[in-house]
Amino acid sequence: MFEELKEAYHFVFEKELLEEINKSGYLKEFKEGDVIIEIGDHLKSMPLLLNGAIKILREDQDGDELLLYFLERGDTCAMTLSCCLGNTKSQIRAVAERDTSLIMVPIQKMDEWTAKFKSWRYFVFESYQMRLTEMLDTIDTIAFLNMDGRILKYLQNKAKINQDKKVNSTHQQIAYDLHTSRVVVSRILKKMEIENKIKLFRNQIEVLEL
């Protein structure tokens, strides 16, 4: 675990902090599609992403989901940080975008490391800033892009996160993530294929316009 931790975070944390994280944290692994954090969970630890990718979702009062942002290796979730520090229930759902491994850090260590390690303070503040920027980008996308633009941006983001032009997503899954209907998604995807922006396969979409 320590080698994976160093590889993912050596450019962020000094050796002493990496050793403390390795000593205090514990490894958890998830398969693609597994729910890592559920809405309403009481969180006792925060995740540091070693490998894989995670999508963060919100849910409305009718149970419909909306994708907020993705997390990659070297990231953590600012909304999880807030819940840990405030001892409140989770307001997001975190789902493994692909097979994922995490180090879970006990919340009791967060205050200690904030006082002890400058790199930890910077990491926490930067995480808040990055996630806020991504959520504002999501709001802008909903407010200013039509559904064609939202779907293309969604596919481009997934291709970037997975480092693969071929995105493994069903039309129904895209509809869930973007809070729309499968019929609308299918119609727009077919139109985008005619425009040579994507290429459709069974349960897979190749993004041609990155």
Side-chain angles (χ1 to χ4, degrees), residues 25-210:
Y26 58 94
L27 181 68
K28 293 198 73 173
E29 296 182 333
F30 299 89
K31 294 295 185 183
E32 179 180 339
D34 285 352
V35 175
I36 299 170
I37 298 171
E38 186 54 278
I39 294 168
D41 283 353
H42 276 289
L43 304 178
K44 302 298 184 183
S45 55
M46 59 164 285
L48 298 176
L49 188 51
L50 297 180
N51 287 294
I54 299 170
K55 61 181 178 182
I56 304 299
L57 304 149
R58 279 277 286 165
E59 186 178 87
D60 67 15
Q61 59 185 6
D62 297 321
D64 294 322
E65 293 178 334
L66 177 66
L67 175 67
L68 295 181
Y69 50 80
F70 290 99
L71 300 176
E72 303 177 78
R73 187 177 77 161
D75 284 340
T76 191
C77 179
M79 298 188 75
T80 302
L81 284 170
S82 295
C83 292
C84 288
L85 292 171
N87 194 28
T88 58
K89 293 181 180 179
S90 170
Q91 298 181 45
I92 55 94
R93 177 176 294 120
V95 178
E97 174 69 12
R98 60 178 190 266
D99 291 356
T100 295
S101 56
L102 306 167
I103 286 187
M104 304 301 291
V105 176
I107 59 174
Q108 293 84 355
K109 289 292 181 179
M110 293 175 62
D111 284 341
E112 176 187 332
W113 291 345
T114 297
K116 189 175 180 181
F117 297 106
K118 183 184 293 185
S119 64
W120 180 259
R121 293 197 299 274
Y122 285 162
F123 175 69
V124 170
F125 294 147
E126 185 179 23
S127 295
Y128 277 119
Q129 181 60 49
M130 288 177 64
R131 301 294 87 82
L132 176 59
T133 300
E134 287 169 336
M135 284 193 288
L136 290 174
D137 186 53
T138 297
I139 293 169
D140 287 346
T141 299
I142 294 170
F144 303 122
L145 290 183
N146 59 22
M147 187 55 69
D148 296 46
R150 288 181 62 197
I151 290 175
L152 181 59
K153 186 176 178 65
Y154 169 88
L155 294 172
Q156 290 170 335
N157 286 341
K158 290 198 72 164
K160 175 178 174 289
I161 288 292
N162 292 309
Q163 299 178 343
D164 190 344
K165 288 185 176 182
K166 291 185 176 179
V167 173
N168 296 316
S169 283
T170 64
H171 296 192
Q172 186 62 70
Q173 185 58 60
I174 296 171
Y176 282 143
D177 286 348
L178 297 184
H179 207 325
T180 186
S181 73
R182 185 191 60 78
V183 173
V184 168
V185 169
S186 296
R187 174 176 56 78
I188 291 174
L189 289 176
K190 190 63 181 176
K191 175 173 174 280
M192 290 168 59
E193 184 176 42
I194 293 170
E195 295 170 346
N196 291 319
K197 295 178 179 178
I198 63 169
K199 190 171 182 180
L200 297 174
F201 301 91
R202 183 175 177 82
N203 294 335
Q204 191 178 74
I205 301 165
E206 183 177 357
V207 184
L208 303 177
E209 187 177 294
L210 291 172

Side-chain angles (χ1 to χ4, degrees), residues 2 13-20:
F2 187 57
F13 302 138
E14 58 267 67
K15 181 182 177 183
E16 292 77 13
L17 178 53
L18 288 171
E19 289 173 348
E20 289 211 23

